[in-house]
Amino acid sequence: MPRRKALSTDRTTNPTMSDTEKQPTPPEAASAPPETASTEPTAAEVLAAVKAAAGDTAEAAAPEVSVESLQAQLNEANDAFLRAKADVENARRRADEEIQKARKFAVEGFAESLLPVIDSLEAALTIEQNTIEQMREGVTATQKQLLSALERNKVTQINPPSGEKFNPHQHQAISVVPAEQAANTVVTVLQKGYLIADRVLRPALVTVTAPK
């Protein structure tokens, strides 16, 4: 049996190894971590997640609105509209009434201020025997009353003094006369004019000096 023993000895001292197993393992290969599957989400997955989150937020924020609540809001809006419309119509009607009253009684104050003048004239007519002096005094007093009534209603006289520059907006020249004063100035007033506020009711009739 010496032959089997020799074969056994050869297997122990010279084990069979492949060329690959005999080569040493490189240090980089030994330290490299094991490869794992990629965990980064794809663009489609990110977009789907964003849409899902937005939908959940909208559903959570949107309140539940019932038909009854909408009908109540509509009724309230209609009532507010009708009240506003009624207020506008009432205001318009009151404004129209005020305008009509203003047109109808526009001269009420002016007429009231003229009543004392009428009273003075009627009193003067009741006196049968008046001297010229008494009549003059009565007419002067009545004129003052009339001028006072006109002034209270913003009616004033246009009575330029002699030598005042001719104003074509308030004066109307009747004639041109020679005079010892500046040219184009008022010489005499033939008829007084009148203003109401800033508007000319009647220009004053005047004579003016001739240009030199």
Side-chain angles (χ1 to χ4, degrees), residues 48-97:
V50 170
K51 288 183 178 180
D56 295 341
T57 304
E59 292 178 358
E64 294 183 359
V65 180
S66 61
V67 177
E68 290 77 6
S69 63
L70 293 176
Q71 186 64 39
Q73 293 178 8
L74 179 60
N75 294 336
E76 184 178 356
N78 287 335
D79 293 340
F81 171 74
L82 294 177
R83 287 194 297 269
K85 183 179 180 181
D87 292 340
V88 172
E89 291 178 353
N90 293 334
R92 183 180 300 173
R93 183 173 60 254
R94 287 193 297 267
D96 292 340
E97 292 176 355

Side-chain angles (χ1 to χ4, degrees), residues 73-172:
Q73 293 178 8
L74 179 60
N75 294 336
E76 184 178 356
N78 287 335
D79 293 340
F81 171 74
L82 294 177
R83 287 194 297 269
K85 183 179 180 181
D87 292 340
V88 172
E89 291 178 353
N90 293 334
R92 183 180 300 173
R93 183 173 60 254
R94 287 193 297 267
D96 292 340
E97 292 176 355
E98 293 296 331
I99 292 174
Q100 292 177 1
K101 289 181 180 179
R103 291 176 178 175
K104 187 176 182 179
F105 303 105
V107 296
E108 180 179 2
F110 180 68
E112 184 178 0
S113 64
L114 292 179
L115 296 181
V117 179
I118 297 175
D119 295 338
S120 297
L121 293 174
E122 290 178 348
L125 292 175
T126 59
I127 302 175
E128 296 181 356
Q129 296 179 352
N130 286 330
T131 64
I132 296 177
E133 187 64 26
Q134 289 175 340
M135 292 180 62
R136 183 180 293 274
E137 290 179 357
V139 171
T140 302
T142 305
Q143 182 188 27
K144 290 181 179 179
Q145 286 181 327
L146 180 58
L147 291 176
S148 177
L150 292 174
E151 289 178 357
R152 285 198 300 271
N153 291 275
K154 299 181 180 181
V155 179
T156 57
Q157 289 183 341
I158 302 175
N159 188 19
S162 179
E164 181 177 323
K165 187 174 179 60
F166 177 77
N167 183 356
H169 300 291
Q170 296 183 357
H171 307 156
Q172 182 177 348

Side-chain angles (χ1 to χ4, degrees), residues 11 14 25-26 38 43 46-47 53 58 64 69 84 101 114 124 174-175 185:
R11 289 180 179 178
N14 297 313
T25 304
S38 176
V46 172
L47 182 59
E64 294 183 359
S69 63
K101 289 181 180 179
L114 292 179
I174 298 300
S175 62
T185 57

Side-chain angles (χ1 to χ4, degrees), residues 28-50:
E28 292 82 359
S31 60
E35 296 182 357
T36 58
S38 176
T39 58
E40 295 182 359
T42 62
E45 293 175 349
V46 172
L47 182 59
V50 170

